[in-house]
Amino acid sequence: MNMDLIALDMDGTLLNPEGKIDPAVHDAVQQAKRAGIKVVLCTGRPLPGVTPYLEQLGLTDNGDYVITYNGALVQRSHSGDILAHHTMNHQDFLTVSDLAEKAGVHFQAINDQGIFTPNKNISYYTVRESFIVNLPLRYRAVHEIDPEMTFSKMMMIDPPELIDAALDRLPRDLSDRYTVLRSEPFFLEVLNKRASKGQALKVLTEILGFSRERVMAVGDNENDIDMIAYAGLGVAMDNAVDKVKEVSDHITLSNLEHGVAQAIYDFAL
């Protein structure tokens, strides 16, 4: 099947369990590029956590794009020009941080200035995230947050059993006001209602004038579900959670077995 665009999740999909791009995956992406296919990384990470991989794959040319913050931000990877950005404001910060405190879990909010947490006892997962996405970590009490500041996403972060318990304590209408998704067992993300990978992929597809039938999306976790559902061809990694496999058209090999390369060769080239 001919494809115009391939949207690739990063963690658990493009990257192997060591957080690296295997040579086989790199080569497959290069072949897709040479065939004239747009390859777009579509990730929950902010841009600083994506840039080294964009450079490694040669996806920083004029005409290349990237989707970050789980779909809150769509931009040109060459120039940084923004095509769509759905942010959250100070009131959202107050609301979600209060809900996290009542649910008994750690909280962080992220923008291009850093990762902001009001928790004096900073979560291990917040420190880990700071290193992975290459953003500074900033402790700020709630009253110290600049009211004019906006955020691309907010997160409740803790061991999976605490996140599971927090889900039972959160208001049932939270998902009516925000996009709420589980990107990792230890991450519960809260975004602007207009932000998700699927919505961002739709925006980019329409800007480029492509048909969704000629779009392939590959992912592994719950934050990839609406992206995979939107694409004309949705592919789940073998290591994907069951919910992703249920909405996918095909299942490729795991990220330990170069599954992205296999999907590109099988369905795009």
Side-chain angles (χ1 to χ4, degrees), residues 9-256:
D9 169 56
M10 285 184 59
D11 297 285
T13 302
L14 174 74
L15 305 181
N16 66 21
E18 296 178 351
K20 299 178 180 179
I21 300 174
D22 285 322
V25 173
H26 178 277
D27 291 347
V29 170
Q30 301 314 302
Q31 289 198 42
K33 280 192 62 181
R34 287 194 291 271
I37 301 172
K38 294 281 188 190
V39 180
V40 178
L41 302 192
C42 193
T43 175
R45 297 187 183 207
L47 188 60
V50 184
T51 300
Y53 301 97
L54 292 171
E55 293 172 347
Q56 184 178 344
L57 292 170
L59 298 179
T60 56
D61 297 332
N62 189 18
D64 284 328
Y65 301 85
V66 61
I67 295 172
T68 55
Y69 292 112
N70 273 320
L73 179 58
V74 184
Q75 61 191 135
R76 299 180 189 273
S77 56
H78 173 68
S79 63
D81 291 345
I82 293 174
L83 281 67
H85 194 189
H86 303 299
T87 59
M88 303 171 74
N89 61 26
H90 187 64
Q91 183 56 55
D92 296 319
F93 181 92
L94 297 177
T95 297
V96 181
S97 63
D98 182 63
L99 289 174
E101 183 178 7
K102 290 177 178 176
V105 290
H106 287 81
F107 169 80
Q108 64 191 35
I110 307 177
N111 60 24
D112 60 2
Q113 298 177 44
I115 300 175
F116 293 81
T117 178
N119 307 127
K120 285 185 177 180
N121 295 321
I122 298 176
S123 167
Y124 157 81
Y125 295 102
T126 296
V127 177
R128 172 183 178 273
E129 182 79 348
S130 175
F131 279 98
I132 289 176
V133 304
N134 197 28
L135 278 178
L137 175 56
R138 307 185 189 279
Y139 164 71
R140 296 289 187 276
V142 171
H143 70 272
E144 295 176 319
I145 295 292
D146 180 356
E148 300 301 315
M149 186 178 290
T150 60
F151 299 93
S152 293
K153 70 173 182 176
M154 301 178 186
M155 304 170 68
M156 300 181 193
I157 65 274
D158 257 322
E161 62 273 15
L162 294 184
I163 296 297
D164 290 340
L167 281 167
D168 292 333
R169 301 188 187 107
L170 294 173
R172 297 303 176 197
D173 68 343
L174 186 64
S175 58
D176 294 332
R177 293 178 279 162
Y178 300 102
T179 295
V180 182
L181 49 86
R182 194 88 172 256
S183 58
E184 296 283 355
F186 37 81
F187 287 160
L188 183 67
E189 307 205 12
V190 182
L191 302 95
N192 184 302
K193 186 64 177 176
R194 297 172 66 191
S196 71
K197 288 188 179 185
Q199 293 180 90
L201 183 58
K202 180 176 185 292
V203 166
L204 182 57
T205 299
E206 292 175 350
I207 287 174
L208 294 173
F210 294 158
S211 165
R212 64 184 291 185
E213 285 71 28
R214 292 168 65 94
V215 172
M216 180 172 84
V218 189
D220 74 302
N221 222 315
E222 292 182 26
N223 57 324
D224 300 316
I225 288 176
D226 76 331
M227 173 179 78
I228 286 174
Y230 169 78
L233 187 70
V235 181
M237 303 295 290
D238 190 55
N239 52 285
V241 299
D242 289 342
K243 289 181 180 179
V244 172
K245 292 179 178 179
E246 289 168 3
V247 301
S248 297
D249 301 299
H250 298 280
I251 299 174
T252 187
L253 301 174
S254 74
N255 66 328
L256 187 62

